[in-house]
Amino acid sequence: PESVAAHFEQEHESSERAAADAESELRSLWADQSNGLAQLRWREESAISALEAQQTQAQRLTDLVQHLEVEAQELRGAVQTRETELKAVVQSEEDDAKMRQMFGRCLNNLQSTHEELSAQIRAVEQSGQSQEAVAASRVEQLEAQVEAQIESR
């Protein structure tokens, strides 16, 4: 009986050690699981924070793109306005050049006409002087004839 009691006591002690070992292992597993769960929670919170940061950055980029699109549209409008203004200036300069050419031709025509009229005036004046000379000569002839007739009578 003592050996049975000793045997039971050894088994009991062995069972207690096994139970203590199992409890220790369970506690270790529980601690590992708790640590793992805490780590998972930390990772989840980190991932959520990172996702929120990415969403914030994406919204900032979207806002920036929209702002840049508005500025680009304004610049297109300004370029188109400036282009229209420059076309008007170029057209005005072309019109001015055409007007200068036309005025140049008119001036040349006036100069030619003036020269022709001056030549015609000189010709008329010379012709008039010749006619005056012819008329004066004729008057002298007539006077001479009249005097000759008066003397012959």
Side-chain angles (χ1 to χ4, degrees), residues 16 26 36 50 60 69-70 78-79 88 91 96 107-109 124 126 131 134 142 148:
E16 282 183 356
L26 275 174
R60 285 185 190 148
E69 286 174 349
V70 168
V79 165
Q91 184 63 45
D96 288 349
L107 184 60
N108 287 341
N109 289 342
V124 167
Q126 289 173 354
Q131 288 178 357
V134 168
L142 288 174

Side-chain angles (χ1 to χ4, degrees), residues 7-39:
H7 176 67
F8 276 120
E9 193 162 318
Q10 281 180 347
E11 273 192 33
H12 179 65
E13 286 176 6
S14 178
S15 278
E16 282 183 356
R17 277 195 304 268
D21 287 346
E23 184 181 348
S24 175
E25 190 174 330
L26 275 174
R27 285 179 195 253
S28 176
L29 286 173
W30 179 257
D32 287 348
Q33 189 178 19
S34 292
N35 285 339
L37 187 57
Q39 199 172 29

Side-chain angles (χ1 to χ4, degrees), residues 62-75:
T62 300
D63 293 345
L64 179 62
V65 166
Q66 288 174 348
H67 177 72
L68 291 175
E69 286 174 349
V70 168
E71 282 187 8
Q73 186 63 32
E74 289 172 357
L75 286 174

Side-chain angles (χ1 to χ4, degrees), residues 6 9 15 26 30 38 42 58 65 79 94 100 117 129 136 139 151-152:
E9 193 162 318
S15 278
L26 275 174
W30 179 257
W42 179 82
V65 166
V79 165
E94 288 173 355
R100 281 192 296 275
L117 288 175
Q129 289 172 355
V139 167
E151 286 179 11
S152 68

